[in-house]
Amino acid sequence: GDAVGQWSKLGLANVQFRVSNTTLTAGRQNFSSGIVDTIGNRALPSSFEGVSFNSEEFSNLSFQGGVFDRVSPRTEQSLSKFRTE
């Protein structure tokens, strides 16, 4: 059957570039770091829209970062401005 509107989101394709052990991702994504994290314990998990990178060029050292300007909370379908509370 069809997905129920209040429990589905349009998943747009991300753009991802990879060079060696460094990956750059742009679009809607589930991002997890020490500062920002998704909440996936619901049928409609939260997601962020923006650009992120992950680099594992050196052994025992990795870099992760991102810039996100929109968020889709777990209680909504739409994207809204990303702000802290």
Side-chain angles (χ1 to χ4, degrees), residues 3-70:
V4 178
Q6 69 262 30
W7 293 107
S8 62
K9 293 181 184 178
L10 178 63
L12 301 177
N14 288 338
V15 176
Q16 192 171 57
F17 299 100
R18 181 180 208 124
V19 175
S20 186
N21 289 328
T22 300
T23 305
L24 178 72
T25 306
R28 185 182 281 187
Q29 52 195 295
N30 294 335
F31 186 80
S32 180
S33 74
I35 299 171
V36 174
D37 199 5
T38 58
I39 300 172
N41 63 349
R42 307 258 317 213
L44 193 62
S46 58
S47 60
F48 303 96
E49 187 171 280
V51 177
S52 69
F53 74 92
N54 185 25
S55 178
E56 297 177 359
E57 293 295 328
F58 308 105
S59 61
N60 298 324
L61 182 64
S62 65
F63 297 98
Q64 183 183 44
V67 176
F68 301 101
D69 61 348
R70 300 266 183 224

